[in-house]
Amino acid sequence: MSENTLLPSGRIDLGDGTLALGPLDGRYASVTAPLTNYLSEAALNRDRIHVEVEWFIYLCEHRVLPGLEPLSDEQKQGLRAIVTDFNADSVAELAEIEAVTVHDVKAVEYYIGRRLPALGLEHLVPLVHFGCTSEDINNLSYALGIKDAFENVWLPAAQNLVQVLLDLAEEGRNVPMLSRTHGQPATPSTLGKELGVLAWRLKRQIKHAQATEFLGKINGATGTYSAHYASVPTADWQQISRGFVEHLGLTWNPLTTQIESHDWQAELYSDIAHFNRVLHNLCTDVWSYISIGFFRQIPVAGATGSSTMPHKVNPIRFENAEANLELSNALLDSLASTLVTSRWQRDLTDSSAQRNIGVAFGHSVLAISNVVKGLQRLDIATDTISADLDANWEVLAEAIQMVMRAEAIAGVEGMENPYERLKELTRGHRVDAARLKEFVAGLGLSEQAAARLSELTPHTYIGVAPTLLDHAKNA
């Protein structure tokens, strides 16, 4: 970069090709870097080589074409080394080939062909990419990359998040708290149970995503095996196709156009997007609990909360996560709707769209990382939560009303219009413990009912909330 190179605006030109345009490869690269092993352009090319090499070996091992013989162990090892030795120099070489072919998959075919003579396989150069259209290679390569990214990066991050959330929920299992429906004081719960609701929802979406079938096909230019049967009519090409796809660890799609239909991708992205939306709900809830003082944030030593207000510890982890979840879902929703449509037997809209899969995953992984860090720096403010309950005795009106209804059904006299009587006492009014106990004492309840209500407080009116957390832990 030259210091004298200026933009029209007068600012120095920074575009030397080494700086990241997007935050996932720049500011947040340390978090999203593992995804580059599976969803980057380089990873896609490595996986293309992997598919091409395995197809080559598979055809030989099964003697699919006349004249083919199983390869020696050294030859198979040498072919697979083309994949395992893939590095930055390989990326550069592929780029040089593609500059001539102007076709990425054709460049992969030539890249492999260059290496066959060294393995004594120069006579089998025509076998590379045999019977394949580029989509045969691409759909399998994307499936492998997405499967690995999901299983090795996104899924462990999501499962770890749920565990961190459950740990915090366990800490709050027996911490009674005032609920708020429509933002107003409502029947108390426990902090653990409320966090457990979110954990249970997240676990459910993870299970949906784990049930994804990663489909693949290898059946030619329009999915008819026409070239295969024209060249080798005696082979059972459907069985060969199925065997190879399953050999790669994928599920065979038996009926496609030129492209694998991408329905499984849309299903996976919908599940991840739903997970993201539940996580977004968690962020807004926790942010709100921090705002009313139910959680205290543990400051990071040396960190600045606000550039001008020293007292502040801003809930930036949850705010950052919200934004990244929204960005991830914008892409996931677009991918899910775009990829399931292709004009007639093929168009290229999926090609451009799929290059953004890593970005969609990246924003989700970044959000998950931020939420984990945010949750790990929360301290339950039991004093604030307790004071909130003490200030809202009127929430016991529901319990008193239901006891009166039960008493009326049991034949106790004087239990008429319980809702209206409690409404008159509590609606729009603050009611302290003494006033509520006085009201209960004058109702004429049975001895047992009166005893139950006399012992009830906002702190104990939590039903079985502490035990409900077990549903989330055992899901």
Side-chain angles (χ1 to χ4, degrees), residues 290 293-298 377-384:
I290 292 170
F294 281 18
F295 288 120
R296 295 189 183 94
Q297 296 181 95
I298 304 169
R377 303 202 70 81
L378 292 180
D379 186 29
I380 299 173
T382 53
D383 53 344
T384 301

Side-chain angles (χ1 to χ4, degrees), residues 238-303:
Q238 289 194 67
Q239 186 56 42
I240 293 166
S241 170
R242 178 173 190 160
F244 178 67
V245 170
E246 293 178 349
H247 166 74
L248 293 177
L250 304 173
T251 299
W252 183 56
N253 186 338
L255 193 59
T256 75
T257 60
Q258 183 177 111
I259 70 166
E260 197 288 317
S261 305
H262 306 324
D263 294 320
W264 69 266
Q265 287 195 52
E267 292 157 5
L268 174 63
Y269 303 151
S270 293
D271 288 334
I272 294 176
H274 198 144
F275 176 96
N276 286 348
R277 289 187 173 93
V278 176
L279 187 56
H280 192 284
N281 194 176
L282 182 153
C283 291
T284 55
D285 272 9
V286 172
W287 186 99
S288 299
Y289 287 137
I290 292 170
S291 179
I292 62 175
F294 281 18
F295 288 120
R296 295 189 183 94
Q297 296 181 95
I298 304 169
V300 177

Side-chain angles (χ1 to χ4, degrees), residues 92-108 110-111 114:
E93 183 180 346
L94 269 174
E96 291 174 1
I97 300 172
E98 188 180 344
V100 177
T101 63
V102 197
H103 195 289
D104 45 9
V105 176
K106 201 65 177 176
V108 166
Y110 291 164
Y111 178 90
R114 288 180 175 184

Side-chain angles (χ1 to χ4, degrees), residues 1-22:
M1 180 180 69
S2 171
E3 292 183 355
N4 298 323
T5 303
L6 300 179
L7 300 170
S9 62
R11 293 189 291 274
I12 294 174
D13 181 5
L14 300 176
D16 63 351
T18 63
L19 302 179
L21 176 62

Side-chain angles (χ1 to χ4, degrees), residues 273-340:
H274 198 144
F275 176 96
N276 286 348
R277 289 187 173 93
V278 176
L279 187 56
H280 192 284
N281 194 176
L282 182 153
C283 291
T284 55
D285 272 9
V286 172
W287 186 99
S288 299
Y289 287 137
I290 292 170
S291 179
I292 62 175
F294 281 18
F295 288 120
R296 295 189 183 94
Q297 296 181 95
I298 304 169
V300 177
T304 298
S306 166
S307 63
T308 186
M309 291 175 277
H311 69 282
K312 293 178 69 181
V313 182
N314 294 332
I316 57 172
R317 293 296 184 186
F318 301 101
E319 294 169 343
N320 183 296
E322 283 184 52
N324 279 287
L325 290 167
E326 290 162 10
L327 287 168
S328 177
N329 276 9
L331 283 168
L332 290 170
D333 291 346
S334 177
L335 287 166
S337 62
T338 296
L339 292 179
V340 296

